[in-house]
Amino acid sequence: MNTNPFEIIDERFSKLVFGHIRLDCLYTGCRWAEGPAYFAAGRYLLWSDIPNDRVMRWDETDGSVSVFQAPAFYANGHTVDREGRLIACEHGGRCVSRFEHDGSRSVLTTGGAGWRLNSPNDVVVKSDGSVWFSDPSYGIDSDYEGHAAPQETDGCHVWRLEPESGRLTAVATDFEKPNGLAFSLDERLLYVVDTGATHRSGGPRHIRRFSVNADGASLSGGEIFAESTNGLHDGLRLDTHGNLWVSAGDGVHCYAPDATLLGKIRIPEVVSNVCFGGIKRNRLFICASSSVYAVYLNAAGALRPAS
Ligand code: MG
């Protein structure tokens, strides 16, 4: 990459990026890279290559890339819980799973009595340990990113799971295709993307913002925070200043907490998802179609929720 990738739209963005920084391509050769998660203790990045049904691993210490898991239940979104365990959204398993410290896999939820989830897409863990995830239909719409199958739920919802009790609650039920989601630093706000435009012309391509109620377990509000101006927004993460770094058709878009589009990181492929990492959490890892890119920022990823 020979050119500086940053497009400054609002002057605030110039303080978040470096004019001399270039984009690094860490790997290419995926069919659809998604679900990045950085493990600080091991200094590695995991991400999904959904159609190839594998999870990949990039080692920060030597730059090598290897297959972490294959087959991988067509895993999509990932995050790291408060105990450092990998949480996975599995299209193939129609579940949310967790990799335990001994390496075994636990299925945290597949849905309810007599029905299965559609295909969990993206996930965050709140500071109280609850697991919040989106459940659109992409993983059951065809055999390309999972297993084609009928929908068993009454819609595509955002769910909250208590892993200890298994209690599963729909916290938002008015989405077409809920997708990436992220809490604000203080966990008073939850941002959730709707990518309904994939299935309906004129459908949603926006980020909604909810208030987390005082019980910490339910939502109110849900107004549209921002509409994508290029392609669809999908996965997103917040930095310590509350700015949103969101995937889009032409790169990564950065929104201020007041919803101003501050700028973009131009990426030569359609971006699906991002996460912060590196030992200072100041490097943004970018899953984009066939490749994974990385760029250093003058901003650091929010530690809550872990990602
Ligand atoms: Mg997604």
Side-chain angles (χ1 to χ4, degrees):
M1 302 296 142
N2 294 318
T3 56
N4 184 278
F6 302 114
E7 179 181 334
I8 294 168
I9 297 170
D10 182 290
E11 262 314 302
R12 284 175 278 178
F13 195 58
S14 61
K15 296 185 173 63
L16 301 174
V17 300
F18 299 107
H20 60 287
I21 290 286
R22 301 292 180 258
L23 191 65
D24 303 315
C25 183
L26 305 183
Y27 181 79
T28 192
C30 296
R31 291 194 187 278
W32 183 247
E34 243 284 12
Y38 179 81
F39 288 75
R43 296 189 64 191
Y44 60 87
L45 178 82
L46 298 182
W47 74 90
S48 302
D49 179 4
I50 305 173
N52 282 323
D53 194 14
R54 59 183 184 168
V55 175
M56 307 297 287
R57 177 183 185 275
W58 171 80
D59 188 324
E60 189 177 19
T61 66
D62 64 4
S64 64
V65 173
S66 56
V67 175
F68 176 77
Q69 182 193 20
F73 302 96
Y74 290 93
N76 186 339
H78 289 110
T79 194
V80 184
D81 76 4
R82 289 176 65 79
E83 286 73 42
R85 296 169 296 192
L86 175 67
I87 306 287
C89 291
E90 297 179 2
H91 285 182
R94 299 178 72 158
C95 67
V96 177
S97 66
R98 182 173 68 204
F99 282 71
E100 309 297 349
H101 289 127
D102 66 3
S104 63
R105 166 180 168 269
S106 300
V107 173
L108 300 184
T109 184
T110 57
W115 62 271
R116 289 181 295 169
L117 295 164
N118 301 316
S119 51
N121 187 290
D122 215 339
V123 59
V124 289
V125 177
K126 198 165 173 284
S127 60
D128 62 4
S130 58
V131 177
W132 300 57
F133 63 94
S134 58
D135 186 43
S137 62
Y138 298 114
I140 57 171
D141 287 340
S142 74
D143 285 326
Y144 185 60
E145 293 193 14
H147 308 298
Q151 190 166 315
E152 299 176 14
T153 63
D154 60 355
C156 297
H157 305 322
V158 181
W159 296 91
R160 176 184 181 272
L161 173 71
E162 294 176 5
E164 301 303 323
S165 66
R167 182 168 178 236
L168 181 66
T169 310
V171 291
T173 57
D174 61 347
F175 277 79
E176 295 193 23
K177 303 291 175 193
N179 210 310
L181 67 173
F183 286 104
S184 63
L185 265 178
D186 61 9
E187 297 185 334
R188 291 182 180 178
L189 300 172
L190 178 70
Y191 297 93
V192 188
V193 171
D194 196 332
T195 48
T198 55
H199 281 58
R200 181 172 69 80
S201 176
R205 51 178 70 235
H206 54 229
I207 306 166
R208 293 172 62 188
R209 180 173 58 190
F210 293 87
S211 296
V212 179
N213 295 332
D215 63 5
S218 60
L219 302 174
S220 56
E223 71 278 9
I224 294 173
F225 173 78
E227 297 270 1
S228 178
T229 51
N230 191 303
L232 297 176
H233 290 323
D234 190 338
L236 73 161
R237 294 288 192 278
L238 270 67
D239 68 24
T240 54
H241 301 291
N243 300 308
L244 287 73
W245 299 79
V246 190
S247 68
D250 58 347
V252 178
H253 293 191
C254 179
Y255 292 99
D258 66 7
T260 305
L261 180 59
L262 298 180
K264 302 179 180 182
I265 308 170
R266 287 186 299 265
I267 304 291
E269 300 181 72
V270 172
V271 176
S272 65
N273 213 333
V274 300
C275 80
F276 284 93
I279 54 175
K280 295 180 178 176
R281 299 185 68 81
N282 62 344
R283 198 175 189 189
L284 192 70
F285 295 99
I286 301 160
C287 287
S289 304
S290 68
S291 306
V292 174
Y293 299 88
V295 67
Y296 282 99
L297 299 171
N298 192 24
L303 283 172
R304 298 293 338 137
S307 58

PDB file of all heavy atoms in Angstrom, residues 34 76 121-122 179-180 234-235 273, ligand 1:
ATOM      1  N   GLU A  34     -14.192 -12.140   8.345  1.00  0.00           N
ATOM      2  CA  GLU A  34     -15.121 -11.530   9.310  1.00  0.00           C
ATOM      3  C   GLU A  34     -14.640 -11.838  10.731  1.00  0.00           C
ATOM      4  O   GLU A  34     -13.654 -12.540  10.929  1.00  0.00           O
ATOM      5  CB  GLU A  34     -16.539 -12.121   9.112  1.00  0.00           C
ATOM      6  CG  GLU A  34     -17.601 -11.115   8.680  1.00  0.00           C
ATOM      7  CD  GLU A  34     -18.088 -10.209   9.803  1.00  0.00           C
ATOM      8  OE1 GLU A  34     -17.468 -10.170  10.881  1.00  0.00           O
ATOM      9  OE2 GLU A  34     -19.099  -9.516   9.586  1.00  0.00           O
ATOM     10  N   ASN A  76     -18.750 -16.874  12.542  1.00  0.00           N
ATOM     11  CA  ASN A  76     -18.777 -15.501  12.032  1.00  0.00           C
ATOM     12  C   ASN A  76     -18.154 -14.589  13.080  1.00  0.00           C
ATOM     13  O   ASN A  76     -16.946 -14.567  13.246  1.00  0.00           O
ATOM     14  CB  ASN A  76     -20.220 -15.124  11.675  1.00  0.00           C
ATOM     15  CG  ASN A  76     -20.333 -13.768  11.007  1.00  0.00           C
ATOM     16  OD1 ASN A  76     -19.456 -12.915  11.119  1.00  0.00           O
ATOM     17  ND2 ASN A  76     -21.416 -13.543  10.297  1.00  0.00           N
ATOM     18  N   ASN A 121     -24.563 -13.745  14.486  1.00  0.00           N
ATOM     19  CA  ASN A 121     -23.701 -13.018  13.556  1.00  0.00           C
ATOM     20  C   ASN A 121     -22.576 -12.280  14.261  1.00  0.00           C
ATOM     21  O   ASN A 121     -21.426 -12.338  13.840  1.00  0.00           O
ATOM     22  CB  ASN A 121     -24.561 -12.029  12.764  1.00  0.00           C
ATOM     23  CG  ASN A 121     -23.817 -11.330  11.665  1.00  0.00           C
ATOM     24  OD1 ASN A 121     -22.961 -10.491  11.921  1.00  0.00           O
ATOM     25  ND2 ASN A 121     -24.108 -11.681  10.418  1.00  0.00           N
ATOM     26  N   ASP A 122     -22.918 -11.531  15.311  1.00  0.00           N
ATOM     27  CA  ASP A 122     -21.886 -10.753  15.999  1.00  0.00           C
ATOM     28  C   ASP A 122     -22.247 -10.686  17.469  1.00  0.00           C
ATOM     29  O   ASP A 122     -23.415 -10.819  17.845  1.00  0.00           O
ATOM     30  CB  ASP A 122     -21.763  -9.356  15.387  1.00  0.00           C
ATOM     31  CG  ASP A 122     -20.318  -8.860  15.393  1.00  0.00           C
ATOM     32  OD1 ASP A 122     -19.509  -9.378  16.188  1.00  0.00           O
ATOM     33  OD2 ASP A 122     -19.998  -7.947  14.619  1.00  0.00           O
ATOM     34  N   ASN A 179     -26.991  -6.802  13.026  1.00  0.00           N
ATOM     35  CA  ASN A 179     -25.647  -7.243  12.647  1.00  0.00           C
ATOM     36  C   ASN A 179     -24.643  -6.830  13.720  1.00  0.00           C
ATOM     37  O   ASN A 179     -24.787  -7.219  14.874  1.00  0.00           O
ATOM     38  CB  ASN A 179     -25.333  -6.689  11.247  1.00  0.00           C
ATOM     39  CG  ASN A 179     -24.409  -7.593  10.474  1.00  0.00           C
ATOM     40  OD1 ASN A 179     -23.369  -8.000  10.974  1.00  0.00           O
ATOM     41  ND2 ASN A 179     -24.767  -7.933   9.256  1.00  0.00           N
ATOM     42  N   GLY A 180     -23.643  -6.002  13.380  1.00  0.00           N
ATOM     43  CA  GLY A 180     -22.639  -5.629  14.371  1.00  0.00           C
ATOM     44  C   GLY A 180     -23.252  -4.883  15.540  1.00  0.00           C
ATOM     45  O   GLY A 180     -24.256  -4.177  15.401  1.00  0.00           O
ATOM     46  N   ASP A 234     -21.436  -2.873   8.961  1.00  0.00           N
ATOM     47  CA  ASP A 234     -21.555  -4.252   9.453  1.00  0.00           C
ATOM     48  C   ASP A 234     -20.998  -4.274  10.872  1.00  0.00           C
ATOM     49  O   ASP A 234     -21.666  -3.878  11.814  1.00  0.00           O
ATOM     50  CB  ASP A 234     -20.814  -5.196   8.479  1.00  0.00           C
ATOM     51  CG  ASP A 234     -21.074  -6.664   8.755  1.00  0.00           C
ATOM     52  OD1 ASP A 234     -21.460  -7.009   9.879  1.00  0.00           O
ATOM     53  OD2 ASP A 234     -20.864  -7.493   7.847  1.00  0.00           O
ATOM     54  N   GLY A 235     -19.758  -4.667  11.033  1.00  0.00           N
ATOM     55  CA  GLY A 235     -19.181  -4.701  12.379  1.00  0.00           C
ATOM     56  C   GLY A 235     -18.617  -3.358  12.791  1.00  0.00           C
ATOM     57  O   GLY A 235     -18.260  -2.534  11.944  1.00  0.00           O
ATOM     58  N   ASN A 273     -15.690  -5.997   9.112  1.00  0.00           N
ATOM     59  CA  ASN A 273     -15.619  -5.873  10.561  1.00  0.00           C
ATOM     60  C   ASN A 273     -14.228  -5.396  10.977  1.00  0.00           C
ATOM     61  O   ASN A 273     -13.285  -5.482  10.187  1.00  0.00           O
ATOM     62  CB  ASN A 273     -15.920  -7.223  11.224  1.00  0.00           C
ATOM     63  CG  ASN A 273     -16.629  -7.078  12.557  1.00  0.00           C
ATOM     64  OD1 ASN A 273     -16.491  -6.071  13.246  1.00  0.00           O
ATOM     65  ND2 ASN A 273     -17.400  -8.089  12.922  1.00  0.00           N
TER      66      ASN A 273
HETATM   67 MG    MG B   1     -21.533  -9.091  10.816  1.00  0.00          MG
END
